[in-house]
Amino acid sequence: MKNISILGSTGSVGTQALAVVEANPGIYKVLALTAQSNAALLISQALTFEPQLVVIGDESQYLVVKTALAGTPIRVLAGEEALCEAAALAGVDLVLTAIVGSAGLKPTISAIEAGKDIALANKETLVVAGDLITSLAKKHGVNIIPVDSEHSAIFQCLVGEGNQSLEKIYLTASGGPFRGKDREFLASVTKAQALKHPNWVMGAKITIDSASLMNKGLEVIEAKWLFDLEADQIDVIVHPQSVIHSIAQFKDGSMKAQMGVPDMKLPIHYAFAYPERISTDFKRFNFLEYPELTFYPADNETFRNLDLAYTALRKGGNMPCIINAANEVVVNAFLQDKIGFLEMSEVIERCMEEIGFIEEPGLNNYLETDQHTRIFANQLVTK
């Protein structure tokens, strides 16, 4: 039995993680569930999975959750500090960090400092503070097992290999709903169009990031920290079928690719079961259903976010933190019809130019950079 804490249980990854738990009775036990504001779904999940602790991030929803679970032994807390408590809960073996955005940083740190292995679905944690997180993980002997399909693929390809034999990696991208479109087309796209991902079912924020290729940019930065790579060792290729999830290339020229149907439950299940592989009844891949697997170069000129992410990675310091915070602001603004699709990149670039650069930031520097960037980005959006 592996005891699990799920941070962000009402989101896309969190709900699929609970489906994995439900399909494997006697193997996984949920000890803690957290959500930001979806009290109704959190209550339903708590009644089904009976964790020890439930946390609602939005403190105004505390009484709603507390009242609904009053007849159970489940402890109910609210607020940011409570999220950290859920991450560090005694008895937990593995923490799934599926909170959206930089809000996942502090709880992930709490989990690592408590010696919990991390199933990382919150890429922003490594984007914002990759050096800090990886150093803490080494210090506390904690495994960070990626849940993103692309990073899970590389992780699986490296089992039995070791990073010293790795030459470079290829992160695959579906290309999103606007693959092959030009900037003239993108200037007038709507959020409804951007939310129609061709292959994956995901939350709104990550779906918009996929449409703008910022998601792939953040994955490039995350890969640097997960696999100890330099920017020129990480390439992005567009693979519309989303069957090859990513590829590892080794020093002798050999390559390994991890393949499967596009289903987030697969990398979630792998992270939960690691280092074992446990049988599932998930749909199996059929080569005859995919007579062609195609690949194209990523269009960095049309989709400028990917290029901005590489720039931030090469600059280092707090620059990835700046693009992450700015991106969270502009995606929210785009979803509220406050700015256009192409304007998101313009705001992010202005933030990279104007927010103070710190070459060797600490935790407080990251938190301050995040706050200052959000204020500036919101000012730009308003203008």
Side-chain angles (χ1 to χ4, degrees), residues 295-316:
F295 305 91
Y296 307 92
D299 185 353
N300 291 26
E301 292 185 9
T302 301
F303 298 90
R304 295 194 56 247
N305 281 350
L306 181 56
D307 193 51
L308 293 175
Y310 269 105
T311 299
L313 175 58
R314 291 187 173 98
K315 182 78 172 178

Side-chain angles (χ1 to χ4, degrees), residues 83-324:
L83 292 174
C84 294
E85 184 171 339
L89 189 66
V92 167
D93 304 304
L94 180 73
V95 178
L96 173 64
T97 60
I99 297 173
V100 175
S102 60
L105 178 59
K106 284 186 177 180
T108 303
I109 290 173
S110 295
I112 292 172
E113 290 179 338
K116 315 296 184 184
D117 284 342
I118 306 296
L120 187 68
N122 173 266
K123 64 175 63 66
E124 292 86 354
T125 292
L126 287 183
V127 171
V128 170
D131 54 347
L132 175 64
I133 295 297
T134 51
S135 296
L136 279 174
K138 289 176 183 177
K139 176 182 177 182
H140 293 280
V142 164
N143 292 314
I144 299 179
I145 308 155
V147 170
D148 268 353
S149 61
E150 295 83 0
H151 300 101
S152 176
I154 299 298
F155 189 89
Q156 292 181 57
C157 289
L158 291 180
V159 170
E161 294 285 354
N163 281 32
Q164 70 277 0
S165 61
L166 185 63
E167 186 171 81
K168 71 180 299 182
I169 65 173
Y170 296 88
L171 299 177
T172 57
S174 70
F178 305 137
R179 179 174 59 87
K181 304 298 184 183
D182 58 21
R183 290 182 67 81
E184 183 179 357
F185 176 88
L186 295 178
S188 60
V189 298
T190 66
K191 68 180 179 184
Q193 291 173 295
L195 287 169
K196 290 181 180 178
H197 196 281
N199 297 337
W200 297 94
V201 178
M202 305 176 290
K205 196 266 182 184
I206 191 174
T207 304
I208 299 301
D209 282 347
S210 295
S212 72
L213 288 196
M214 178 55 89
N215 186 54
K216 206 55 50 178
L218 298 179
E219 287 176 4
V220 167
I221 299 172
E222 184 183 10
K224 180 258 188 301
W225 296 109
L226 282 170
F227 307 115
D228 193 21
L229 299 171
E230 299 301 323
D232 60 2
Q233 292 179 284
I234 308 167
D235 203 353
V236 172
I237 53 174
V238 175
H239 170 50
Q241 295 81 18
S242 295
V243 166
I244 294 178
H245 299 306
S246 279
I247 304 162
Q249 178 175 306
F250 298 96
K251 290 181 178 179
D252 61 359
S254 178
M255 305 175 86
K256 283 185 180 180
Q258 189 268 331
M259 304 172 65
V261 295
D263 183 350
M264 275 303 299
K265 291 194 293 293
L266 285 168
I268 292 169
H269 183 78
Y270 179 83
F272 280 9
Y274 181 81
E276 299 179 23
R277 285 193 186 269
I278 297 174
S279 296
T280 73
D281 60 359
F282 299 156
K283 180 181 177 181
R284 267 39 179 179
F285 177 77
N286 182 350
F287 277 95
L288 300 182
E289 294 177 1
Y290 295 86
E292 286 189 337
L293 298 179
T294 54
F295 305 91
Y296 307 92
D299 185 353
N300 291 26
E301 292 185 9
T302 301
F303 298 90
R304 295 194 56 247
N305 281 350
L306 181 56
D307 193 51
L308 293 175
Y310 269 105
T311 299
L313 175 58
R314 291 187 173 98
K315 182 78 172 178
N318 65 335
M319 192 60 73
C321 179
I322 292 170
I323 71 160
N324 180 74

Side-chain angles (χ1 to χ4, degrees), residues 39-53:
L41 182 53
L42 181 62
I43 291 164
S44 175
Q45 292 173 342
L47 292 172
T48 299
F49 292 93
E50 300 178 337
Q52 294 178 7
L53 174 64

Side-chain angles (χ1 to χ4, degrees), residues 11-28:
S12 176
V13 172
T15 54
Q16 291 179 86
L18 287 174
V20 169
V21 171
E22 197 164 31
N24 292 274
I27 297 176
Y28 309 122

